[in-house]
Amino acid sequence: GSSVGSILRLTGNSNTAYGEIEGDNVGNLIFNADPGNAGNSSTMRFRVDGTERLRITSGGNVLIGTTTGDTSRNSTSTRFPVFQVSSSWSSGRGSYSFTTTDDYPVIFFNSNASYANGSGAGTLVWSVKDGSGDYCNTAQISSSIDGTPGNDDSPGNLKFFTTPNSSASPSERLRITSDGQIFAGSTTSSSIDGGFTNLQLWKDSATEGGSLTLVNNQASTATGTCSISVFQNYRNAGEI
């Protein structure tokens, strides 16, 4: 590390637990909360107008707008968010913005999971708090490796989940594969006459049939119809 410069030590009634503001010999400004770990679960807190606005816990969690970290349930695993922002909707602060001044913003989900087929790349989860205080997932969007990866080669899919009634675990409803296939109600392609399926709508039920509904919502006197067209080499090969 760098050489120690000036240190301002701040203590309470006990000299064993204290905080420090340090300026080292290379220009760094360092804030130390309980550097000797005498107080165990110490925190660093920032207050504005007498109200705490930001807290850094001893475990490295960053809390903005709250003093207590929540747990967010992801399927059967409990996650402890390292960065948490909390605000009331009624205050008008229940939204967050990412802005760039010269181009479009980008949000990265970077995974260090094993680089193999099926490994997760990231998940976006929506949750609500139930009567017992647990966060239950209502929906999620996930991505994982979809094929055999290699250097500069990362085939991936995108999966959409919703949670059914009487459940706390989302079920996959739609998948876009690495080769552009779209599966709704199924996770794998069902080959028909050996053909390649671009779009597959699947219903697995002994009492309900699968259906596709096309609706023209114009007045009953309108002459427009709904149709499904089939093209072969850009020529109309049939129509339903």
Side-chain angles (χ1 to χ4, degrees), residues 49-136:
D49 294 334
T51 301
E52 183 175 326
R53 300 301 185 186
L54 185 148
R55 175 180 296 201
I56 303 174
T57 70
S58 59
N61 296 64
V62 179
L63 311 177
I64 299 177
T66 182
T67 60
T68 305
D70 279 329
T71 61
S72 299
R73 189 163 61 209
N74 181 15
S75 297
T76 57
S77 300
T78 300
R79 311 290 182 175
F80 296 89
V82 69
F83 182 79
Q84 180 180 320
V85 181
S86 178
S87 61
S88 63
W89 180 263
S90 60
S91 69
R93 300 196 306 266
S95 61
Y96 308 96
S97 174
F98 298 89
T99 303
T100 58
T101 58
D102 58 352
D103 212 325
Y104 54 86
V106 177
I107 300 176
F108 290 97
F109 293 82
N110 297 320
S111 172
N112 283 300
S114 61
Y115 200 46
N117 184 32
S119 293
T123 300
L124 182 63
V125 181
W126 286 264
S127 303
V128 294
K129 187 175 287 188
D130 64 13
S132 63
D134 292 326
Y135 278 106
C136 297

